Amino acid sequence: MGTDDISAELTRNTKNAPPELLTRVFFFICAALSVVTTASIVVLLVSEAAKFFSVTAPLVGFAGETVSMVDFLTGTTWQVGSGEYGVLALVSATILITVGAGVISIPLGVATAIYLSEYASTRARSILKPALEVLAGIPTVVYGFFALIYITPAIQTLLPDTGTFNLAAASTVVGIMIIPMVASISEDAMSAVPDELKQAGYGMGATKFDVSTGIVVPAALSGIFSSFILALSRAIGETMAVTVAAGSQANFLPPWDPTSYLEGALPMTAAMIQLLLSDITGGGLAYRSLFAIGLTLFVLTLTMNIISDVITQRYREEY
Amino acid sequence: MATEDRTIDGFGQVSRTVGTVFRYLLLAATLIGIVALVILLLFVANDAIQPLTADPGWHLTFFATLVVPTLAVGGYLASRNQSAAAVGVGTIGLAVVTTMFAGGLSLIFVDIVDSITWAAAVLTLAVPTAAVVAIARVSNRSPLELLAVAVILYYVSLFGVPGPLRSVVGTGQLLPGVGSVVASIPVLPVDWMLLFATFTLPVAVVVRYYARQLVDDRTATAIVAVGLVAVAIAATAAPTAGITPVPATVLASVVLLPTMTYVTTTALSRPHDRVGLALPGAVFGGSLLGAVAVRTLGYAGPQAWVDWQFLTSAHSRNAIDAGLYPAIGGSILLMLTVAVLSFPLGVGAAIYLEEYAPDNKLTRLIDVNISNLAGVPSVVYGLLGLGVFVRYFGQPSGTVLVGGATLALLILPIVIISSREAIRSVPNELRQASYGMGATRWQTVKNVILPRSFSGVLTGTILALGRAIGETAPLIMIGAPDVLFSLPADLSSKVSAMPLQVFAWSSLYATPEFYQRAVPAGVVVLVSVLLSMNSVAIVLRNKFE
Amino acid sequence: MTRDLSSGVSRRKFLLTSSAVGAAGLAGCTQNNDGGSSGGSGGSGGSDDSDDSDSTATGQPLSGTINIAGSSTVFPLSTALGEIFQEDNPEVNINVQSTGSGGGFANFFCVGDTDFNNASRPIKPEEEEQCSSNGVEPVELTVATDALTVIVNNDNDWATELTVDQLADLWSAETQPQQWSDVNSDWPDQDIELFGPSDASGTYDYFIESVLGEEGPGHRQDYSGTEQDRTIVQGVEGSEYAIGYLGFAYYTENSDRVQAVAIDDGDGPVEPSLETARTGEYTPLSRPLFTYPKVSALSEDHIAEYARFFVENTTNQDLVAGDVGYVPLTDDQQAEQMSTLEDAIERAND
């Protein structure tokens, strides 16, 4: 009797008291804003791109110039002035840059991660980690400028056939730009490998090299792999560096040919900038193609992010 | 026999060559990117500052007065007294970074907001805040009543009675708002005094808060008071040095006051490290001495493209006269807008996800959503700004508001993710202790979690703002002008930004003059701003980790 | 524990001195508040040392914002004029954006967002329709002439004069000649190296329109296309068998590194120069450049003044030819433009 009354008096359900309710509602709105953002991106891209493709334009009641989706997805000529809208020309350039950036950043990034997590002293780590953050913080326009002014002449002295705008310089700077991303995510994955495994290896007489390459890396492989995918998706979405350095002529270059790197081409993101800035005619159709490319880009990066999530979830070693 | 006699000559030597080679390969790989960037930055700095065009005598003078003493003092400190060296470097860093920020702030107070408007705005917000706090302390009202009173007071202060509702109420303006009252006072204190009261004093309060952590209250107050006197002296004496009082006040408040306080509190609280102050003394004293020396000896300095004229003039068709001023102002305004928009929303979302969210599908959806948004390319955010803000909401294109909102959306996922990390790092015991004492969730958040995670949240926000400063593509998409001749005056003026201006120079004005002069200078300014923001974030993180 | 004030100043003295200082300070340190100035004390966006600041009818200095967008070709001219106008009228905020002629019409001008649209070609009928459906009435003003220049290497002595047909052959997508001798058997048996603007450029469009013809063979794609004129110059300068075309502005800056080809449109070969372009002798490669103010904007004083300033300076050789690199208008052409403008301003103020 007594204690029940007392505890009933002392108990107050504050869950819906005004300050609690207000703050909870406010914080929920903030978090929901992110969902609203994604929803708006999807709605905007889909509705505007629907006005671009012939198959979907009647569905949204749009009557104007359109392009057939098959032509868009399989065409290899992108020439807005003459009405050619084949996105493969842009996709090939994006693939070339992504692959080139990956070739540079993945080995260097993984090596950096191994060094930082296994070999570096605390002092070295405290210098190298901020340095890598600075590397990631330099604006992308500056990287594009570097590619155009300093790296291209360097490449031209080695390979005189290189054009002023070439994909090699662009992919080099994009690669340098995403090294920190690969390094930090891989390093997180490697640090999560429990010490017992490493100590077990050392106890068996393995050298540091054996432990790093034979135990830590395989154990952290899912995290490392997801870092590749995230970094490559960042390379796909990279805009300003490639706009400044890779050129403005849309060529379909075969992605399997290394000499394609010496020429200029137009990746998807640079094409979007160009659509808004150049002296082209036909504001209507070209404006709508902006959203079609944007939709392609969004789908690509979303897919890669989801794949990376799935890999992390499914193949992560649970310790 | 059971046992055998077998001698084992040890286990032999395991070859270490592979390991050593591997280690150095890794180190080389780690350093390649950093070294490449340093080389590129040196190239750009060389193009922009042109150190080789200076007289040899100039170089020699500064070598003798600046480089040699700094190296000597620095070497001595590094070998004998590490913490003193840290104090010295910290002072220099503080002075440099605050000067940069002071430059930006004085830009705002000189050209964008005039002191009377600023004072009116501060008073408009301060008066109702003080009233609400006083009422809350004195009387015992419930939170809802307090909230209602606060809303009414803020409304009256901002708009007067009845303000914009007068068309509904039907009467004329009975009472003006605080802002209009201030603006209609016929005689006001001089500009710099207004700034002193409304800007310097708040800065002094913040500085004193930090000084109190090192020394006791009275000393802290005394030190800050001396600092305030120094600011006042600087403001009145500045015209003799050719600086108008308003920027002098801002500069003194942001640079002199904190640096002096830091130096004095460190000297008082860490007597062993006082010798570290010799390092900034060597650097600043040496530079001053060197500057006086080259002027008397008549040596010409380098013909740098990054000079005062570059920083304070607008774009011109002649590369020599071109400058970055409107772009710098635009960047600052954009950053303020982005910070105001993204900080509360980002931190709020992070708090919700870490503290309030139940472990159900909706939360997981939001989780996945945020990590996906962090990977969306910046052009797509630009499209979002274009499609939603400009077309759907009908805002004019390329304004501060639209640009700031688009950039805020861009960095919101980054702010959320880093704030979540910071909040997660608060030990669970503290939370449970707070709940165990009977605190509600909001009380726990307000009193335990936010203070402890504040530095991590701040670090993440500064890094995200640094990313936003460097973004160009979204601004191009929402229609920001390529060339702007004057500073944006309010939220709905067109705005340019530093990276956008550099991009315009390198693509639309692609002549050799621009490439060799204006573009490297712009790049150097942009990179300096970013490096200083990054270093502030790193120092914050190291200090509070 | 109380700390002793070792400075030894008594409280009364302190109060007295501080209030005396404060009164003295206040006496000399107040200002009259005349409603607050807009924008604060002087920035350094340019000095107002000339006496040319225009003013409205009431004698007040001009102020306001002017939003300009449009062609990247006219962009340098627009920004140069904006810069000079702003030096004389610091209260006027001019901003210029390079969006391309078509993009400028469709996305900014015809929806009412900008006051001027620069264009390197005349407005199209569908753009006029879009404008009128949004209540925007454009006024066509010619502001300069651009002379598209064909350039060859300085050591090229066989192709210094070309007919329009030969030019079309060289660049035709149908025939795509690989060697000079494929076009004219007198020419060397060497591969042609071609440089030109990318297909996003108005210059490219204009070349097709004037040389190849809209109905003719398309523009060949196997050339080195670039947005940056300096690359075209570099390419042609670097190879004896190279040929390229670009806008006049860039050629004049580099006239010693490459040579211009004289174009024969049936009346004999004509070299590009200020004179030949201005008089119309250099055909078909001289194209007019336009700017389109909207009539509703012209009712505002600062915009009307700026438009007048623009037309006045279309004959300014130092500025248009020297600084920017286009061909200025003749006096007759300027008078025509000015009367069109004045009519439009009158209409706006009705």
Side-chain angles (χ1 to χ4, degrees), chain B residues 110-112 114 116 182-191 193-194 216 218 312-313 315-318 391 396-397 476 479-486 494 506 508-512 515, chain C residues 3 5 25 29-33 35-37 39-45 67 72 75-76 79-80 82-84 86 92-98 107-108 111 113 228 230 250 253 319 323:
Chain B
V110 167
D111 259 338
I112 301 182
D114 85 309
I116 299 179
V182 171
S184 59
I185 298 179
V187 174
L188 282 175
V190 191
D191 274 347
M193 285 191 163
L194 281 175
D216 63 87
R218 284 190 77 142
T312 52
S313 43
H315 167 86
S316 162
R317 61 197 182 282
N318 301 318
R391 300 256 171 259
S397 59
I476 296 181
D482 293 294
V483 166
L484 195 60
F485 288 108
S486 46
K494 306 256 180 194
S506 73
L508 293 167
Y509 286 93
T511 59
Y515 264 121
Chain C
R3 288 183 178 261
L5 293 174
C29 295
T30 52
Q31 56 175 337
N32 286 321
N33 179 9
S37 48
S41 49
S44 36
N67 298 320
S72 52
F75 182 79
T79 47
E83 183 192 337
I84 303 178
Q86 183 138 5
V92 177
N93 297 329
I94 302 181
N95 55 74
V96 190
Q97 193 183 358
S98 161
N107 302 322
F108 294 91
V111 297
D113 211 4
Q228 296 205 352
R230 70 190 198 128
Y250 222 79
E253 290 191 31
L319 177 66
D323 279 342

Side-chain angles (χ1 to χ4, degrees), chain B residues 152 155-166 171-177:
Chain B
I152 293 178
Y155 181 83
V156 167
S157 171
L158 273 170
F159 302 116
V161 176
L165 289 180
R166 79 185 89 136
T171 62
Q173 186 81 348
L174 294 170
L175 264 182

Side-chain angles (χ1 to χ4, degrees), chain A residues 36-37 52 64 80 139 143 248:
Chain A
V36 170
T37 312
F52 177 74
V80 176
Y143 274 121
S248 53

